[in-house]
Amino acid sequence: MMRKWKDDVLLCLIYLAAFFTEFLLIGILGYVFVKGFPQVSLSFLTNVTSVLQGTAGIAGNFVNTLYMVVMTLAVAVPFGIGAAIYLNEYARPGRVVRLIEFTTETLAGIPSILFGLFGMVFFGTTLGLGYSILTGALTLALMVLPLITKNTQEALKAVPEAYRSGAFGMGAGKWYMIRTILLPAAMPGIVTGILLSVGRILGESAALLFTAGSGYFLPRSFGGWFRKLSESGGTLTVQLYLSMSKAQYSVAFGIAAVLLCMVLGINFLVRMLAKKWDAV
Amino acid sequence: MAGDKGQRRMTQCKMMTEKLNVYYGKRHALKDVDIRIRSHAVTALIGPSGCGKSTFLKTLNRMNDLVGNVRIEGQVYLDGEDIYSTRMDVTRLRKRVGMVFQQPNPFPMTIYDNIAYGPRIHGIKGKEQLDGIVERSLRQAAIWEEVREGLYKSALGLSGGQKQRLCIARALAVEPEVLLMDEPTSALDPVSTLKVEELMTAFKQKYTIVIVTHNMQQAARISDDTVFFLEGELVESDTTARLFSHPADRRTRAYINGRFG
């Protein structure tokens, strides 16, 4: 009798915890959307903030965000996948591999503002890239590198040894085997790592504030789209931070709503891909 | 060692080892093994678990190279050529000496791409040529009728027995001279086992086959020669008929009568 009573209380507490977690998420989403969506309009999405024209918009920040995502991944994906392949397929298990793995894990736990500090001093000043999207992207690349490496490595580890010996038994060379068997089989894990990285890039502000800066203009000419890399550019999240610090709460909530939509979209994408790959 | 039965075995020798020693770290896995493997015959390697028969099989196409911490001494000859010499191209060696594994291991791709995998490694790209190879290999492995409608479906959807025959077809696609089979039926049901056994006896016309097996009846049924290993040593090697009816070594007699192992 006593036991049954205890079970019921525990069950209640667990339900409560689950409900609380769910409620928290729905509460935050609901609050941001309710406060933010009235602000989101076509002109908000397609205009640049200008005092002269009296417009408030986030088109520039949106473009900056796309640049940031693409540039960061362009650097981090090849390095991350390459490092994972080296660690899992080439390096002999031992002290060096353990050291690199330890370093990767530590790197993943460093507060992002430290990456910002390093990026500003090293890429910005020492390499002379200044406040620019490039500086920001290189900084973020360092930050998401562990995420991509780790996920790729886990995915490679999960590929059965029998595939490798099967391919070698047919006379495949190592790189040929990696290209034709390992990478395709590990693709779901690799893509998951990349999408998680996109999430981190979208959400980052501290590491970008002092590296990519806060520019919010759109390029005026065709060449401007290329020059943009070396110009200051704030992502949506940076702009959100700046708007808040200027007490422009309606703009801030508008941006927050847009950001949340993007993050939700990515999470959906991850789930869809995971489901699709599981079915194969 | 009994039964160096004369000229016939010498003349048609496809593979041969001399003073073959294999070490995994400190463990001496194969000790001074001398074997002749007859061309166009099925050679069965028998012995209790851990006796070195799988290790021996893997030295024949240098799959042991992939294991860290392994040391190989002595010679292994394929048509008189030392396969461990520095001049030997491992890719070409493995084309000539193919392998089928214990657990069926089709790649996670279509049936067609599984079969075409080997030929593509060796530079065959033409669609028509590959189509021909795929059909021929699948027919040889007696699985063509079962999969011809679904060549572009994932190979992972096949049954266990079908997967193993697919792997055999995959190995045949590069037209090897020798086929190594590491307990190819131990993961299969009885009917699939019989199918694979039937294939092996048919393959003798074209290939030389070396098979590791735990199953004494299987060795007796399908092989021409049998080699008995114990604790890394070759105890006895002879024609299957003679080894099973008149084993020369009492350890062989004890093993085939099921007294240990």
Side-chain angles (χ1 to χ4, degrees):
Chain A
M1 211 47 214
M2 193 61 185
R3 173 149 303 172
K4 169 97 178 72
W5 182 81
K6 258 191 191 166
D7 271 4
D8 286 349
V9 171
L10 262 177
L11 199 65
C12 251
L13 286 174
I14 289 168
Y15 271 124
L16 202 70
F19 178 77
F20 182 71
T21 314
E22 207 59 23
F23 180 79
L24 214 62
L25 177 69
I26 293 171
I28 292 177
L29 282 182
Y31 189 76
V32 170
F33 283 147
V34 167
K35 295 276 266 187
F37 270 138
Q39 181 66 29
V40 180
S41 62
L42 196 62
S43 100
F44 182 68
L45 291 175
T46 54
N47 274 307
V48 166
T49 301
S50 160
V51 181
L52 287 177
Q53 290 164 16
T55 54
I58 56 167
N61 303 111
F62 191 80
V63 170
N64 290 340
T65 306
L66 290 185
Y67 266 75
M68 197 59 76
V69 169
V70 171
M71 287 310 296
T72 304
L73 293 183
V75 178
V77 168
F79 275 103
I81 294 178
I85 290 175
Y86 169 76
L87 286 175
N88 216 51
E89 304 301 321
Y90 287 91
R92 290 198 168 245
R95 209 176 296 166
V96 179
V97 170
R98 277 204 302 279
L99 185 73
I100 297 178
E101 282 177 347
F102 176 73
T103 313
T104 319
E105 270 155 37
T106 312
L107 219 52
I110 290 180
S112 58
I113 186 76
L114 286 184
F115 282 102
L117 181 65
F118 173 79
M120 179 183 83
V121 173
F122 183 70
F123 297 123
T125 309
T126 308
L127 295 188
L129 297 172
Y131 277 115
S132 67
I133 288 184
L134 199 58
T135 304
L138 290 170
T139 307
L140 289 193
L142 294 183
M143 203 178 77
V144 299
L145 199 58
L147 210 57
I148 292 173
T149 307
K150 192 86 195 141
N151 273 283
T152 306
Q153 217 188 336
E154 293 302 323
L156 291 176
K157 273 183 196 161
V159 176
E161 204 52 45
Y163 291 168
R164 296 181 177 82
S165 38
F168 288 136
M170 306 289 308
K174 189 143 194 170
W175 175 239
Y176 189 86
M177 183 278 293
I178 291 172
R179 201 157 50 81
T180 55
I181 307 277
L182 274 194
L183 288 181
M187 200 46 87
I190 296 174
V191 172
T192 305
I194 292 173
L195 288 175
L196 287 173
S197 302
V198 174
R200 292 227 30 203
I201 299 166
L202 289 183
E204 190 50 49
S205 58
L208 287 176
L209 214 47
F210 300 106
T211 52
S214 56
Y216 53 86
F217 297 115
L218 283 173
R220 284 166 205 283
S221 65
F222 182 70
W225 289 92
F226 295 97
R227 274 198 302 280
K228 199 162 175 47
L229 281 177
S230 60
E231 290 166 2
S232 156
T235 62
L236 286 168
T237 309
V238 169
Q239 187 56 48
L240 170 63
Y241 168 81
L242 294 173
S243 302
M244 270 177 77
S245 62
K246 283 184 266 181
Q248 298 165 338
Y249 291 118
S250 55
V251 175
F253 272 110
I255 296 174
V258 172
L259 266 175
L260 272 180
C261 285
M262 291 169 79
V263 171
L264 281 177
I266 286 172
N267 277 351
F268 265 121
L269 208 61
V270 173
R271 278 167 166 260
M272 254 174 50
L273 288 176
K275 225 183 245 164
K276 199 183 142 208
W277 265 309
D278 274 348
V280 172
Chain B
M1 223 178 290
D4 266 295
K5 280 295 136 198
Q7 288 308 100
R8 197 170 60 102
R9 309 191 63 185
M10 300 287 289
T11 48
Q12 296 175 316
C13 172
K14 180 75 185 173
M15 293 195 82
M16 187 170 84
T17 67
E18 271 176 4
K19 290 242 173 265
L20 181 66
N21 281 282
V22 176
Y23 303 85
Y24 291 123
K26 287 218 167 78
R27 203 164 75 77
H28 198 169
L30 281 181
K31 299 166 189 165
D32 281 336
V33 175
D34 293 312
I35 289 187
R36 285 154 202 286
I37 290 161
R38 273 198 291 154
S39 179
H40 296 287
V42 177
T43 302
L45 311 178
I46 61 169
S49 301
C51 68
K53 53 194 192 306
S54 285
T55 298
F56 176 78
L57 194 75
K58 285 188 210 147
T59 57
L60 296 181
N61 72 343
R62 294 186 56 171
M63 285 298 276
N64 273 327
D65 291 15
L66 307 171
V67 184
N69 208 14
V70 66
R71 200 169 88 245
I72 296 161
E73 289 168 2
Q75 276 80 43
V76 180
Y77 297 102
L78 171 63
D79 287 336
E81 203 180 346
D82 184 359
I83 66 169
Y84 282 90
S85 91
T86 45
R87 282 200 316 276
M88 177 55 72
D89 172 8
V90 180
T91 297
R92 263 195 54 71
L93 168 70
R94 292 186 185 144
K95 177 184 179 305
R96 294 175 64 190
V97 184
M99 189 154 200
V100 175
F101 298 82
Q102 180 174 4
Q103 290 292 333
N105 60 346
F107 300 134
M109 45 179 85
T110 64
I111 291 168
Y112 185 98
D113 286 334
N114 262 280
I115 306 296
Y117 192 79
R120 281 176 178 146
I121 294 174
H122 302 288
I124 298 175
K125 298 272 190 276
K127 171 97 172 78
E128 268 170 43
Q129 206 182 349
L130 283 175
D131 286 351
I133 291 173
V134 169
E135 179 172 347
R136 172 182 62 73
S137 310
L138 289 169
R139 276 187 193 282
Q140 269 186 304
I143 190 180
W144 170 252
E145 295 300 332
E146 291 157 65
V147 299
R148 61 183 301 176
E149 302 296 331
L151 286 179
Y152 297 98
K153 284 188 189 150
S154 168
L156 301 187
L158 298 173
S159 74
Q162 288 175 323
K163 279 182 188 164
Q164 192 62 306
R165 276 179 287 144
L166 178 78
C167 291
I168 292 172
R170 188 176 67 188
L172 295 181
V174 293
E175 302 193 43
E177 298 159 35
V178 182
L179 198 57
L180 309 177
M181 305 179 104
D182 190 357
E183 298 188 40
T185 61
S186 69
L188 304 186
D189 63 87
V191 176
S192 301
T193 298
L194 287 179
K195 282 184 189 162
V196 171
E197 285 185 7
E198 210 179 306
L199 287 175
M200 278 187 267
T201 39
F203 288 164
K204 272 196 288 188
Q205 312 287 332
K206 287 188 75 173
Y207 313 103
T208 300
I209 294 175
V210 186
I211 172 177
V212 167
T213 178
H214 259 304
N215 182 333
M216 223 55 52
Q217 276 75 37
Q218 183 171 62
R221 266 198 307 269
I222 60 166
S223 71
D224 301 291
D225 295 333
T226 299
V227 182
F228 174 53
F229 282 91
L230 193 60
E231 288 168 4
E233 277 178 71
L234 187 157
V235 175
E236 188 167 350
S237 118
D238 208 330
T239 61
T240 301
R242 192 182 306 271
L243 188 127
F244 276 92
S245 57
H246 300 97
D249 195 291
R250 66 181 167 73
R251 288 172 294 174
T252 314
R253 199 174 318 136
Y255 184 71
I256 60 180
N257 290 333
R259 257 178 271 155
F260 69 92

